[in-house]
């Protein structure tokens, strides 16, 4: 199975400041079609997860442009350019290259 | 409105069975892979199973293979998860999700399954 490792696991951020979450996979997520099969999700408190980024760097519909995804192969990053109060929650990366689909442990973002 | 609504959760004894349903609306259900993901209390997300548009391909996480069966009825716009031989460790909120370009872009609100004696 592909193991997904996120860091940090806890991320206190001051509103208006940037934030960055790292996700590493135990094997490359770059497929022969040129896409990285890596997605990012946010689970706000008491809610279902919501898709933020798919295929490594494509923003999902309705996601603010302060969210961006980058990386390739085994190293990926989710960046928030200016954190807002509504960004609080747990962020998960997920690999969709191979079954079983696997998620990272989650990174809890909190407001300072 | 594009929507997924799960139902069928509840309290069941170890070794028992439960069938979850997921009703889809607002999109052409038969065009999409569909998925079940679960979340144990206070824990992270765990993929459980996925099914192809016509039901011809099904995938499972090892921990449920042979006990759970994912299925769908495209005429009823519905996804199912038949769960047999339930264990305490299957206790979780179960979410259904729509798969698009490898990602899950629509999620339901979840249904809680508690396995306890």
């Amino acid at each position: 199975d592909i193991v997904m490792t996120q860091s940090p696991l806890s991320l206190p951020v001051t509103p208006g400041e940037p934030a960055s979450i790292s996700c590493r996979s135990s094997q490359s997520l770059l497929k022969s079609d040129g896409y990285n099969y890596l997605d990012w999700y946010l689970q706000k408190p008491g809610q279902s997860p919501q898709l933020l980024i798919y295929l490594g760097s494509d923003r999902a519909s309705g996601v603010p442009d302060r969210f961006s995804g980058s990386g390739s192969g085994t190293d990926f990053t989710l960046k928030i350019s200016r954190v807002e109060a509504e960004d609080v929650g747990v962020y998960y990366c997920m690999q969709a290259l191979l079954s079983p689909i696997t998620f990272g442990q989650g990174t809890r973002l909190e407001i300072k | 409105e594009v929507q997924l609504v799960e139902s069928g959760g509840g309290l069941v004894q170890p070794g028992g069975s439960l069938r979850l349903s997921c009703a889809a609306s607002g999109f052409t259900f038969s065009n999409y892979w569909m998925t079940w993901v679960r979340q144990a209390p206070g824990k992270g997300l765990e993929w459980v199973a996925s099914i192809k548009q016509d039901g011809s391909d099904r995938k499972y996480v090892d921990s449920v293979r042979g006990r759970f069966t994912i299925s769908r009825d495209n005429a009823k716009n519905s996804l199912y998860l038949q769960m047999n031989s339930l264990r305490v460790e299957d206790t979780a909120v179960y979410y259904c999700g729509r798969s698009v370009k490898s990602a899950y872009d629509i999620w339901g609100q979840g249904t809680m399954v508690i396995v306890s004696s």
Side-chain angles (χ1 to χ4, degrees):
Chain A
D1 298 1
I2 297 177
V3 177
M4 307 298 291
T5 303
Q6 292 182 226
S7 63
L9 299 184
S10 180
L11 184 58
V13 184
T14 300
E17 294 296 305
S20 179
I21 300 171
S22 170
C23 177
R24 291 186 172 176
S25 57
S26 60
Q27 63 186 80
S28 177
L29 303 183
L30 180 61
K31 196 175 178 181
S32 56
D33 60 8
Y35 291 103
N36 286 282
Y37 281 71
L38 186 284
D39 308 315
W40 289 96
Y41 297 86
L42 165 59
Q43 187 173 30
K44 296 182 178 181
Q47 295 187 17
S48 304
Q50 61 186 87
L51 176 64
L52 296 176
I53 303 289
Y54 62 96
L55 296 177
S57 59
D58 289 345
R59 209 176 300 114
S61 176
V63 174
D65 59 9
R66 64 177 182 276
F67 290 92
S68 64
S70 63
S72 184
T74 60
D75 290 336
F76 299 89
T77 302
L78 177 70
K79 293 182 179 178
I80 310 173
S81 58
R82 295 173 305 280
V83 170
E84 299 187 3
E86 65 180 24
D87 301 334
V88 165
V90 181
Y91 291 78
Y92 295 93
C93 61
M94 183 195 89
Q95 68 82 15
L97 180 67
L98 294 173
S99 182
I101 304 302
T102 47
F103 291 87
Q105 321 97 298
T107 295
R108 184 174 300 277
L109 186 148
E110 61 180 47
I111 298 296
K112 281 184 181 177
Chain B
E1 179 190 5
V2 175
Q3 196 174 8
L4 296 171
V5 179
E6 302 94 336
S7 60
L11 174 63
V12 61
Q13 292 187 338
S17 298
L18 215 52
R19 189 197 196 205
L20 306 184
S21 299
C22 171
S25 59
F27 65 97
T28 305
F29 179 72
S30 59
N31 285 354
Y32 297 88
W33 276 80
M34 295 296 295
T35 289
W36 287 100
V37 172
R38 68 184 178 183
Q39 186 171 37
K43 302 297 185 182
L45 301 172
E46 179 184 34
W47 171 80
V48 175
S50 294
I51 186 168
K52 195 176 179 180
Q53 290 91 329
D54 61 0
S56 63
D57 192 7
R58 310 177 196 209
K59 302 180 188 296
Y60 299 91
V61 68
D62 282 350
S63 60
V64 309
R65 187 175 291 111
R67 300 188 299 123
F68 290 12
T69 301
I70 188 172
S71 63
R72 64 193 296 162
D73 185 334
N74 288 340
K76 295 183 177 180
N77 294 328
S78 291
L79 175 72
Y80 305 102
L81 187 67
Q82 177 66 43
M83 304 186 296
N84 299 331
S85 303
L86 281 161
R87 304 168 180 168
V88 171
E89 55 265 35
D90 294 319
T91 294
V93 174
Y94 285 73
Y95 298 100
C96 63
R98 185 179 81 169
S99 299
V100 174
K101 294 180 181 178
S102 86
Y104 307 138
D105 68 332
I106 304 296
W107 296 65
Q109 85 288 350
T111 187
M112 184 71 203
V113 172
I114 301 173
V115 184
S116 175
S117 55

